[in-house]
Amino acid sequence: MANPGKEGLMRVEINDGVTWRDLAGDVVILNVETGVYFGLDGAGGQIWRELVEHGSIEKTLEALERQFDAEPDELRRDLDEIVEQLVKKRLVQLIGEKPKSRLR
């Protein structure tokens, strides 16, 4: 997964027809149109909650770094892995935001 760094932000957008619930700390995600079901527990559930709240890979990573005592590279790998699974299952899509150009 590409790391845009200062190039821009990667937004995470929940696809149409996708709903989710927090059940006793676990997250259950369902695409009602395709029937695809995905469950996340523990840190995976927290990653989902942060993605929903912040809507971007970078802001989610910042929030996770404040919550977990783990190396930033490890958190980034975990985040990328979960996002990749969500994209493959067509539950979310990634949208790159390019920096605003400066007109002179």
Side-chain angles (χ1 to χ4, degrees):
M1 193 169 301
N3 182 357
K6 294 181 181 178
E7 302 290 313
L9 296 176
M10 289 297 289
R11 284 192 307 117
V12 178
E13 191 171 283
I14 298 172
N15 287 336
D16 291 339
V18 173
T19 186
W20 70 281
R21 297 288 179 267
D22 198 330
L23 302 172
D26 294 344
V27 170
V28 177
I29 309 162
L30 173 67
N31 185 324
V32 295
E33 295 174 0
T34 64
V36 171
Y37 163 91
F38 194 63
L40 294 166
D41 61 3
Q46 188 59 28
I47 288 172
W48 172 261
R49 288 183 209 84
E50 296 297 339
L51 284 169
V52 170
E53 180 177 340
H54 298 290
S56 87
I57 297 290
E58 291 77 12
K59 290 179 183 176
T60 295
L61 182 59
E62 290 172 8
L64 294 171
E65 287 174 348
R66 289 189 298 270
Q67 295 172 45
F68 293 98
D69 184 23
E71 292 295 320
D73 288 346
E74 182 181 342
L75 286 173
R76 180 66 193 223
R77 277 191 305 273
D78 292 347
L79 174 58
D80 286 348
E81 183 179 307
I82 287 176
V83 169
E84 185 177 329
Q85 291 176 35
L86 293 166
V87 169
K88 282 182 182 177
K89 293 182 179 296
R90 296 175 35 206
L91 298 169
V92 301
Q93 58 184 317
L94 290 176
I95 301 167
E97 293 181 358
K98 295 184 179 177
K100 296 181 185 198
S101 62
R102 296 181 184 170
L103 299 176
R104 293 184 179 215

